[in-house]
Amino acid sequence: MNTDFGLVHLWSQGDLVTRAVALLLLAMSLASWMVIIAKALDLRRYARQARQIESFWHAADFADGLNKLGTDPANPFRTLALEGREAVAHHHAQAQLHDSLDASEWLTRTLRNSIDESTVRLQAGLAVLASVGSTAPFVGLFGTVWGIYHALLSISAAGQATIDKVAGPIGEALVMTALGLAVAIPAVLGYNALVRGNKGVLTKLNRFAHDLHAYFVTGARVTAGQGTKVVPMKKGA
């Protein structure tokens, strides 16, 4: 009995369609893992940046607080603070159409726009994982169906339908379904994990925006309640 079955044999004996399906699954797997690793590193960096928020509120003034948030231009918390400061300064310095809005409403819109932009960056790449997770099983199934069809044609042409002639090619074709699942499962799990991580970052961004809004409007942080000693920050640049 010929036992030379497996992925190598499937590749060598497969036709153009089978090889194209295998390459497509490989590309989908690489793309999903690249997104998972890149976004996981981003979430780790955001978590580290979020831990600097309390240092920001304990700074002597706003400029010192920005320094404590770091200098990374991709830091969404630092960007939020800068956008808030510029919104307040712009509202008081310019006589434009937006002056019909009070400072609080203008600041709220500016902070919300900044959070929306950060949300777009956080969600970048998730569509790839969603697409891979939903389509990879069907791509693998298509490879299996085509492989079985191709195997049956070969068996029919050979005129031999013994179990050893049928089991090998059919089993190899079924490997394509397993490959599709192997590609889809990490993509789905990665997608769910990244969505949960993004929600955590957005929650912290919204909380920070709420505190910034209170600070710029009233001069105090709303969450600085009893038992929390926060040094009053000067609003100077």
Side-chain angles (χ1 to χ4, degrees), residues 107-118:
L107 178 60
T108 298
R109 292 190 177 189
T110 302
L111 294 176
R112 174 50 54 191
N113 289 338
S114 179
I115 292 178
D116 289 342
E117 293 175 359
S118 297

Side-chain angles (χ1 to χ4, degrees), residues 165-226:
K165 299 295 183 182
V166 174
I170 299 300
E172 288 180 346
L174 293 174
V175 171
M176 299 299 291
T177 299
L179 290 178
L181 293 175
V183 172
I185 291 175
V188 172
L189 295 178
Y191 176 86
N192 292 335
L194 292 175
V195 167
R196 289 194 299 270
N198 288 347
K199 287 182 179 179
V201 174
L202 290 175
T203 298
K204 294 175 182 178
L205 275 174
N206 279 285
R207 187 181 300 122
F208 188 46
H210 178 71
D211 292 344
L212 285 173
H213 182 275
Y215 166 71
F216 284 117
V217 173
T218 68
R221 179 189 179 194
V222 171
T223 55
Q226 297 179 350

Side-chain angles (χ1 to χ4, degrees), residues 32-124:
S32 63
W33 278 109
M34 288 175 62
V35 171
I36 290 173
I37 293 174
K39 301 300 291 184
L41 292 176
D42 287 342
L43 287 177
R44 182 178 180 182
R45 185 175 71 253
Y46 293 147
R48 183 173 63 252
Q49 293 168 346
R51 290 194 290 269
Q52 303 302 320
I53 292 178
E54 286 303 318
S55 298
F56 170 85
W57 289 117
H58 286 77
D61 54 32
F62 193 86
D64 185 37
L66 287 178
N67 291 332
K68 292 183 180 299
L69 289 178
T71 59
D72 184 4
N75 185 341
F77 302 97
R78 188 176 191 275
T79 300
L80 196 62
L82 289 173
E83 291 285 347
R85 184 185 65 179
E86 293 174 2
V88 172
H90 188 67
H91 186 276
H92 293 310
Q94 300 291 331
Q96 296 178 355
L97 183 61
H98 63 65
D99 288 339
S100 59
L101 302 174
D102 59 33
S104 177
E105 186 175 355
W106 173 249
L107 178 60
T108 298
R109 292 190 177 189
T110 302
L111 294 176
R112 174 50 54 191
N113 289 338
S114 179
I115 292 178
D116 289 342
E117 293 175 359
S118 297
T119 301
V120 172
R121 289 193 295 270
L122 284 171
Q123 294 178 345

